[in-house]
Amino acid sequence: APDFDKMISEVIETLKPLQQEVVAENGHWFELQIRPYKTHENKIDGAVLTFLDIDARKRTEAVLQARYLKEQRILEVTHSALLLLDAQLNVRLVNRAGCELLGYSQPEIVGKEWLDAFVPKALWGDVRSHFEQVMTGGGTDPYEYPVITRGGEERVISWRNGVLNDSAGSVVGIICSGEDLTMLRQLNTALQKSEERFHLMMESVREDEFFIMDAEGYIGSWIARPEEGKSYRANEIVGQHFSCLYTPEDFQSGKPMRILEVAETEGRYEEDGWRMRKDGSRMRAYVIIIAIRDESRNLLGFSNVTRYMRDRVAPREKSAVPSRSHLVGVP
């Protein structure tokens, strides 16, 4: 401990305890606490020094930090919120998306106890039980629960959690990847609150495709008439950008994003144009896209209704179809 004598003198003079992390010559970590010592006559007669063994905690932090640095590039480019919690559920690391979700800077999040700081109190027991399952090898399925942001808002997140082990196989923490479901819930609520849009949703079930996307064009829910080999299933298309349904020429020209701009400005967009099917074929379709807004007129996303004209099919052009991997991350 640097300035050891000075630290003791300061405690005796100010009567204020001090604590500091120190490392022994053999590399073992301790937390040093210095408190003033009083006699029975209530006189200051020195200082009491306590050494707490924190070596296991520091080694855990080192493991987590090493993993973070190794994967830092991936953590920062993903749209998902990523957290690293230690075995006591304290936040050790968080990526930029996690900071944006919670509304805090990284220094304001790291070191906080996750449940106490960011989870509604009524759910502490359930969430803690889930983490205990994760640390014993269970709890691998997505798990939904809300987090509390800086502004006091609760946002529903779908979490995937995995255990972290050190080289000896001991559990040192949990990595958590979260997807914000709040926008999708708001989209569905907005549809149900609007009588016109609610009827549109009901009628659209009889159409070939009906889906809801967020304000950036990413598909959040999907209903389609089953056509073997031609129609996407929900688990194949949800999460993709809707531009994957357009021809390569339209995609390259930026048409899908211009469509959303028109729908946002005008409230509605209609067209008779070509669409790409799952099997790579093109089919003429009549499309209606409607902007969805909340009660304050804030844009939440868009609904899309598609009716295919089955007598107007273009030849299949496999080589011209952009791959789905090429479309991931369309702005």
Side-chain angles (χ1 to χ4, degrees), residues 19-23 29-32 54 57-58 61:
Q19 66 180 43
Q20 179 174 316
E21 293 182 355
V22 296
V23 60
W29 282 91
F30 295 90
E31 181 180 280
L32 167 62
I54 61 170
R57 191 190 79 193
K58 295 295 289 187
E61 291 175 356

Side-chain angles (χ1 to χ4, degrees), residues 36-280:
Y37 171 71
K38 293 183 180 181
T39 66
H40 291 295
E41 292 77 23
N42 206 31
K43 295 181 179 179
I44 303 300
D45 192 34
V48 177
L49 279 63
T50 306
F51 291 86
L52 302 177
D53 189 339
I54 61 170
D55 195 65
R57 191 190 79 193
K58 295 295 289 187
R59 294 185 187 280
T60 295
E61 291 175 356
V63 171
L64 293 176
Q65 183 69 18
R67 288 176 180 266
Y68 174 74
L69 293 175
K70 184 178 179 180
E71 306 296 341
Q72 185 175 17
R73 191 173 180 183
I74 297 175
L75 289 175
E76 293 303 339
V77 299
T78 180
H79 291 293
S80 302
L82 290 178
L83 305 167
L84 286 176
L85 309 180
D86 63 21
Q88 289 72 46
L89 306 185
N90 299 304
V91 182
R92 291 306 175 192
L93 297 167
V94 59
N95 71 342
R96 186 180 299 110
C99 294
E100 292 174 354
L101 168 67
L102 296 170
Y104 294 93
S105 66
Q106 190 176 68
E108 291 175 311
I109 298 173
V110 172
K112 295 288 182 62
E113 205 281 335
W114 176 246
L115 300 184
D116 181 60
F118 304 109
V119 177
K121 189 173 183 178
L123 300 177
W124 286 1
D126 291 341
V127 177
R128 186 179 297 278
S129 176
H130 173 73
F131 282 132
E132 290 172 353
Q133 293 179 35
V134 172
M135 286 189 280
T136 55
T140 56
D141 294 332
Y143 185 71
E144 293 182 17
Y145 64 88
V147 297
I148 303 173
T149 67
R150 187 181 201 119
E153 178 188 8
E154 290 190 10
R155 300 192 71 83
V156 180
I157 311 297
S158 177
W159 295 98
R160 286 187 177 275
N161 305 303
V163 68
L164 290 176
N165 304 97
D166 60 17
S167 58
S170 301
V171 175
V172 295
I174 300 172
I175 184 167
C176 310
S177 172
E179 296 290 343
D180 193 346
L181 301 180
T182 308
M183 181 63 72
L184 179 58
R185 301 285 173 85
Q186 290 175 340
L187 289 173
N188 290 330
T189 300
L191 278 173
Q192 292 172 0
K193 286 184 177 181
S194 168
E195 183 176 357
E196 175 186 353
R197 291 167 182 161
F198 180 76
H199 286 301
L200 171 63
M201 184 176 68
M202 293 298 99
E203 289 296 321
S204 67
V205 175
R206 297 199 294 268
E207 303 298 338
D208 292 298
E209 291 171 359
F210 170 76
F211 61 87
I212 297 174
M213 48 187 156
D214 64 18
E216 295 181 348
Y218 288 92
I219 297 172
S221 63
W222 175 274
I223 302 173
R225 178 183 296 177
E227 287 184 273
E228 191 63 34
K230 291 183 178 293
S231 296
Y232 288 103
R233 297 179 182 276
N235 62 350
E236 297 172 323
I237 195 69
V238 169
Q240 298 283 359
H241 196 270
F242 89 116
S243 58
C244 68
L245 302 172
Y246 285 78
T247 65
E249 310 91 80
D250 287 344
F251 173 74
Q252 293 295 336
S253 70
K255 179 179 178 180
M257 300 312 296
R258 291 198 300 274
I259 288 175
L260 293 189
E261 291 175 0
V262 173
E264 179 180 359
T265 303
E266 304 295 332
R268 183 184 184 95
Y269 177 88
E270 299 183 38
E271 75 162 352
D272 173 354
W274 293 104
R275 285 289 186 102
M276 300 299 300
R277 308 306 304 279
K278 175 183 173 181
D279 66 349

